[in-house]
Amino acid sequence: GFWMNLCDRVHIYNNRFMYSEGDNDSFGLHVDIMNNEVIVEKNFSIENEGGFIEILASTNTIYRYNVSYNDGWRSSSSKGKILWLDNYNGKDANNNPLKPDNMPKNTYIYNNTAVIDHKFANPNNEVGFGIAKGADGVLIQNNVFWVDDSVTVVDVSEGSHTANNGSIHFTNNLYNRSDILPRSEEHTSE
């Protein structure tokens, strides 16, 4: 996989992120910890244990025109995810979060395709969506989420949030079945 920390004005395009494995992280690409103005486009992500999209404590992130195939199959306590937006940005010497209020801000995820077409190797056979309460200015639009019927999709967010509450907007996404999260968008996924 690919990680970036504390970067400014980055453009990542036309790459393959494949087969990352591990108890934590292990997404194909990590927009990880306090980045600004990152564009991720036209990449292919395949069978990364952690998941497809991870954006942590970063601002002004655009994630577009990417394809994910069978990402997010991890079954440990840090479950695999199709999408994860969170405020994690490291810990101090006392194991306290450095800036717990540093949420992803101005995040635009659009025109991506995520396909999970077979039963995962994990015993629970599930994958998740995770969006931290307090994420600000998030637009998830015009994406395709196709998940095989044998896979359970769960909300793995820490804390409570509601899609389309405040500044988290799911709009015009296409799902192959009605039980894929977020539930608040079921009426717009036809």
Side-chain angles (χ1 to χ4, degrees):
F2 180 90
W3 279 15
M4 71 181 88
N5 294 295
L6 302 167
C7 295
D8 193 38
R9 302 183 75 199
V10 177
H11 188 194
I12 300 166
Y13 62 96
N14 292 339
N15 296 286
R16 288 182 224 148
F17 304 107
M18 305 182 328
Y19 312 117
S20 293
E21 293 185 26
D23 291 335
N24 291 301
D25 297 310
S26 304
F27 282 67
L29 172 79
H30 298 243
V31 179
D32 205 5
I33 304 182
M34 298 173 27
N35 296 287
N36 182 48
E37 295 186 17
V38 175
I39 298 174
V40 178
E41 66 180 345
K42 299 180 181 176
N43 297 289
F44 181 58
S45 182
I46 181 170
E47 295 188 12
N48 294 288
E49 186 175 11
F52 177 36
I53 298 174
E54 176 183 308
I55 300 171
L56 304 181
S58 295
T59 58
N60 304 316
T61 304
I62 297 172
Y63 213 101
R64 64 185 179 200
Y65 315 126
N66 299 286
V67 174
S68 166
Y69 180 72
N70 290 331
D71 285 327
W73 51 272
R74 179 176 39 232
S75 64
S76 68
S77 61
S78 178
K79 294 190 184 302
K81 301 164 190 77
I82 294 171
L83 166 66
W84 184 34
L85 304 177
D86 196 73
N87 67 336
Y88 181 80
N89 59 16
K91 296 184 179 185
D92 65 17
N94 296 318
N95 208 29
N96 297 313
L98 292 176
K99 294 183 179 179
D101 59 342
N102 196 10
M103 290 291 175
K105 292 185 172 89
N106 303 329
T107 303
Y108 307 97
I109 299 169
Y110 60 90
N111 294 25
N112 298 286
T113 301
V115 174
I116 299 171
D117 76 347
H118 64 60
K119 186 172 181 169
F120 282 150
N122 74 48
N124 296 328
N125 202 36
E126 60 188 24
V127 68
F129 281 85
I131 302 174
K133 180 179 180 182
D136 187 28
V138 177
L139 176 65
I140 301 169
Q141 176 176 298
N142 298 335
N143 299 287
V144 174
F145 298 106
W146 194 97
V147 181
D148 187 84
D149 289 338
S150 67
V151 178
T152 302
V153 180
V154 296
D155 184 350
V156 293
S157 301
E158 294 181 11
S160 61
H161 76 280
T162 305
N164 295 330
N165 114 351
S167 61
I168 301 171
H169 301 279
F170 286 80
T171 309
N172 203 39
N173 294 295
L174 179 64
Y175 302 101
N176 67 307
R177 52 187 236 221
S178 64
D179 64 339
I180 297 176
L181 293 175
R183 298 213 183 277
S184 63
E185 194 186 6
E186 285 182 1
H187 66 280
T188 65
S189 62
E190 298 174 6

